[in-house]
Amino acid sequence: MKLADQTFHYPAPGQPVDELALAEIKSAILAKLRLAIGKDAAMATKHDWYKAAALALRDRIVHRWLTAEKQSYDEGRKRVYYLSLEFLIGRLFTDALNNMGLLKVFETALGDLGVGLDELRKCEPDAALGNGGLGRLAACFMESMATLSIPAIGYGIRYDYGLFRQIINNGWQQEYPDEWLSFGNPWELQRPEVVYHVHFGGSVEHLDDKGRDRAIWHPAETVQAMAYDTPIVGWRGQHVNALRLWSARAPDPLKLDVFNTGDYVSASAEQARAEAICKFLYPNDESPAGRELRLRQEYFFVSASLQDLVSRHLGSDGQLRSLAMKVAVQLNDTHPSLAVAELMRILVDLHNFRWDEAWKITVNTLSYTNHTLLPEALETWPVELFERLLPRHLEIIYRINSQHLALAEHRCPGDIEFRAAVSLIDEKSGRRVRMGQLAFVGSHRINGVSAMHSDLMRETVFHDLNHLYPGRITNKTNGITFRRWLMLANPKLTDLLRVTCGEAVLDDPSRLELLEARASDNEFQQQFRKVKHHNKLALARLISERLNVIIDPSALFDVQIKRIHEYKRQLLNILETVALYHAIKDNPQANWVPRVKIFAGKAAASYRYAKLIIKLINDVAETVNNDPVIADRLKVAFLPDYNVSLAEVIIPAADLSEQISTAGMEASGTGNMKLALNGALTIGTLDGANIEIREHVGPENIAIFGMEAMDVLVRRKQGLDATDVIRKSPQLARAINSIGSGEFSPGDPGRFESIAHALRYLDHYMVSADFDSYYETQRGIDARWQVIPAWTRASILNVARMAWFSSDRTIREYAEEIWNVPVHPTPSSLPETGAHRGVR
């Protein structure tokens, strides 16, 4: 039996590797090194070895992939298409090895060949296809869909550079291209035969076709979308799906006649314009050119993806009337909202469906996940730009809106304000197309990503639309894949869980509950603390290597890792750090709990205030870390270029998880889940999924502070001036004054004056208003940390009670309640010991 035909059991600790499998893997790696890389083993670099090993693994994955694809089509199964502008997949090598059950055999084979698996893992760059939680959620969902054997394809853009590489230079964020493709990508398979034409601009001609209006779009520009496929492996390798990413190119990449005249730049201008679409994730949209590029990106990947899935459906089903019965399209946030108009265009203009039938198919096919209540994230586009770039789609949106407003008038006769509120066109801000509203109207289900977020959607941004289309809003609380965020990120804790909860915990996270019986056991607590200390040593080494800052691994590791944004309140964290610094400096002989404040995250290139917060964090770090009075009582570390691989080192080492967003502003969060799963206690507001985490881990095992969402709304109505709370809080006043007066920027005393001013008079995100509650809660954390058995017990209970936050649970809910697709059980019936060699 060939290795590619076998299903493997996740090897138990100490279990010997099968010698036949080992020999086959070594042979396969050496063959790839010679025939695919063109190198002899003696001359191969580490990167050559990595690529050879990855290609050897890919061969085994592709076999499963093709089998799963054929089986799903043969059975006529309904398929899911997940449209997302971001997929933050991280490194795939060890992830795929783990899910295929081949981690140990590859590690041993490579060791026998004189190469370390960990060295090769570091050769793989993080795929720079996402920014933060949105993209990482998409990656977790793709893995869970494969694990649950749901036939699915993820659609996105193959960014040449993706999100920028973050360099911290003298405390300031600087952005550089992230050249993640510079050495090629062994995981992707180029599909030059899969090319679709995506059109822009031009005009629309209307003809009378036997009494029916027929629209013909005459575009001014055409861009080709070419497919690249990356296999996504489910747990135990029993099912493999595809992530299909689109790369843009011009139909005529070089105008030879122009080139021959000597105008070499103009000869390739069309190619450069087309390629700009897939150069960078989130181009700066402050300029008209940046906004146009962003809209071109969104339509490019939506159009290519819908053309592809329609072609696939026609190939298997032969007609489009059954589309909604055989296809579910999930729009991951507002970026793919153009799918509503594009699917209507395909059905009406290209396949001659009558409008009403096409609309019914569209609504029943599409569903929309909203990820934010922030108005700036619910995209709107100027009508003028839309008309110039997508004239046919604007016509379609106008007709959708006309039908939609007729319903609004029927429901609320004569209510002009209601019609204006629900309209797809915002007439008050220079006439703009509202993309969030378009996605809502064109989808049969709209889901939030935590219980609180979904409730707030009904009450705030989509209040009127919810009245018009009752029952469409539902909730699907986010989840994370435990394969990546526990098994791979924290292998020592995983081994402890396997011994304590049984091997079945790898398939059934509910078995984590068995930890509860051991939470107060002294021997188990010691084992648990030993694992945490090992992980903290690894992070301490990394911080020393990257920042030249020496930290004590026995200190409390206080972690805030996420996109830098005012509502996520890194500013509150560093403000409390300043106040703590002052308190320690005033009384250095007190029994202070040693604490390391660890920050990581990127600010959008155009988000100047967020970049100033990064500078403040680094300036505070410079002062605190070099103050001999403070010594090891307090350290501050900002780790640059935050990505999935860095998160995999930080999260297992964290003692305290900072989830301190302004209440009512965080949709869900997934970092909170990853950190709690790895035994960090959460300090946070009642916001997003923190509420559900508290329900599951117990209020005694989480530290909640600050105002709730309704309190925030009331305070905002009263005004943003925070001088009242500052006047009552000497430590807050001192911290703000020290920041504003230049204590941490002596060479430029006015550097942070704008931050101090906002904290006093423009406290929109309630940083000053929540400060005292946060500071007091942090001192409560200090007190808890000093009672080691109680802290360890709470940490263990966080792990034990996080099973519900698996992305497998979330995807099951999507499948059963939104997509209407069957879910196959995870392979939990596999034997507990020994290699499972059953043939698929």
Side-chain angles (χ1 to χ4, degrees), residues 434-706:
R434 294 164 159 168
M435 303 308 291
Q437 281 84 341
L438 176 64
F440 191 111
V441 171
S443 300
H444 68 284
R445 285 289 183 273
I446 296 87
N447 71 278
V449 288
S450 72
M452 179 185 184
H453 172 232
S454 298
D455 287 342
L456 286 174
M457 280 169 55
R458 295 184 184 99
E459 296 168 9
T460 59
V461 290
F462 294 137
H463 174 268
D464 294 314
L465 285 170
N466 184 54
H467 175 71
L468 195 56
Y469 301 98
R472 283 196 183 183
I473 295 179
T474 183
N475 178 61
K476 297 289 167 279
T477 298
N478 284 342
I480 57 174
T481 170
F482 287 18
R483 271 80 60 180
R484 167 79 74 160
W485 296 109
L486 180 61
M487 296 180 199
L488 270 182
N490 204 341
K492 288 195 173 296
L493 178 57
T494 302
D495 287 344
L496 181 60
L497 297 177
R498 293 165 74 184
V499 171
T500 309
C501 305
E503 288 293 309
V505 74
L506 301 177
D507 303 294
D508 180 8
S510 69
R511 291 183 63 108
L512 289 172
E513 294 173 0
L514 296 173
L515 288 178
E516 293 204 29
R518 304 292 302 278
S520 300
D521 181 85
N522 181 58
E523 182 182 352
F524 183 76
Q525 284 197 359
Q526 289 181 11
Q527 293 174 310
F528 190 87
R529 285 196 295 269
K530 184 178 179 180
V531 169
K532 180 66 75 171
H533 186 71
H534 169 85
N535 295 332
K536 292 173 75 172
L537 281 171
L539 179 55
R541 284 193 296 269
L542 185 144
I543 289 173
S544 175
E545 292 166 3
R546 297 193 181 183
L547 302 178
N548 197 29
V549 174
I550 306 302
I551 62 173
D552 178 4
S554 66
L556 190 159
F557 281 18
D558 179 348
V559 168
Q560 188 174 19
I561 45 174
K562 52 186 77 252
R563 178 167 53 97
I564 309 297
H565 196 289
E566 288 169 86
Y567 89 84
K568 293 181 182 288
R569 299 204 295 189
Q570 286 89 355
L571 184 55
L572 176 60
N573 191 346
I574 199 64
L575 190 65
E576 188 269 340
T577 305
V578 170
L580 178 59
Y581 168 68
H582 289 153
I584 296 173
K585 203 166 174 65
D586 289 345
N587 188 12
Q589 303 309 316
N591 184 28
W592 296 102
V593 169
R595 187 185 287 247
V596 183
K597 291 272 195 172
I598 299 165
F599 296 85
K602 297 178 181 179
S606 61
Y607 197 169
R608 296 181 184 87
Y609 196 80
K611 293 166 82 168
L612 186 63
I613 291 171
I614 291 176
K615 174 60 173 169
L616 175 61
I617 294 169
N618 281 287
D619 281 359
V620 171
E622 182 70 19
T623 300
V624 170
N625 295 344
N626 293 294
D627 190 329
V629 175
I630 301 301
D632 285 337
R633 298 177 185 89
L634 180 63
K635 294 287 186 181
V636 182
F638 186 98
L639 284 162
D641 207 32
Y642 181 56
N643 56 21
V644 175
S645 297
L646 182 55
E648 289 170 349
V649 180
I650 296 173
I651 287 171
D655 296 306
L656 187 65
S657 166
E658 298 270 355
Q659 307 299 330
I660 59 176
S661 54
T662 310
M665 300 197 74
E666 182 69 82
S668 170
T670 53
N672 47 6
M673 303 169 191
K674 296 161 194 166
L675 285 151
L677 177 65
N678 283 272
L681 272 63
T682 299
I683 181 170
T685 51
L686 282 177
D687 198 28
N690 288 354
I691 296 170
E692 287 147 298
I693 290 176
R694 184 179 70 161
E695 291 172 358
H696 283 266
V697 306
E700 69 281 7
N701 298 309
I702 188 172
I704 298 297
F705 74 93

Side-chain angles (χ1 to χ4, degrees), residues 195-198 222-226 246-253 274 300 304:
V195 175
Y196 295 98
H197 290 90
V198 179
T222 297
V223 173
Q224 290 182 336
M226 185 171 69
W246 302 105
S247 184
R249 66 184 187 187
D252 186 5
F300 167 79

Side-chain angles (χ1 to χ4, degrees), residues 236-384:
R236 298 194 186 276
Q238 295 207 133
H239 188 91
V240 180
N241 283 325
L243 173 60
R244 173 160 284 188
L245 303 175
W246 302 105
S247 184
R249 66 184 187 187
D252 186 5
L254 183 69
K255 293 188 177 297
L256 198 56
D257 54 341
V258 178
F259 186 88
N260 287 334
T261 67
D263 191 354
Y264 308 128
V265 174
S266 297
S268 57
E270 287 187 13
Q271 179 70 355
R273 179 171 167 79
E275 288 180 349
I277 290 173
C278 59
K279 283 296 180 190
F280 289 99
L281 170 67
Y282 298 142
N284 189 332
D285 59 1
E286 286 188 323
S287 68
R291 288 191 290 275
E292 179 176 326
L293 178 56
R294 180 78 165 267
L295 184 56
R296 283 166 63 84
Q297 282 184 329
E298 294 181 3
Y299 178 64
F300 167 79
F301 104 90
V302 162
S303 178
S305 303
L306 289 181
Q307 289 183 66
D308 189 53
L309 71 87
V310 164
S311 175
R312 284 170 168 269
H313 178 76
L314 287 172
S316 62
D317 223 54
Q319 48 83 32
L320 288 176
R321 282 187 169 81
S322 62
L323 188 69
M325 292 183 285
K326 292 296 184 70
V327 166
V329 177
Q330 190 70 36
L331 310 180
N332 189 31
D333 212 13
T334 313
H335 310 122
S337 298
L338 276 163
V340 177
E342 176 67 357
L343 186 52
M344 286 297 291
R345 185 187 72 85
I346 290 171
L347 293 173
V348 173
D349 293 0
L350 304 185
H351 293 277
N352 299 314
F353 276 79
R354 293 188 176 276
W355 179 272
D356 289 346
E357 186 178 9
W359 182 243
K360 183 177 180 181
I361 292 170
T362 295
V363 172
N364 288 335
T365 301
L366 302 180
S367 47
Y368 161 49
T369 301
N370 173 274
H371 284 276
T372 181
L373 303 174
L374 295 175
E376 63 267 26
L378 293 174
E379 292 179 315
T380 63
W381 298 107
V383 166
E384 177 277 325

Side-chain angles (χ1 to χ4, degrees), residues 720-739:
L720 301 179
D721 189 311
T723 53
D724 58 336
V725 296
I726 296 170
R727 190 165 46 249
K728 298 172 186 175
S729 175
Q731 58 199 8
L732 172 59
R734 182 181 177 188
I736 294 173
N737 290 338
S738 66
I739 289 170

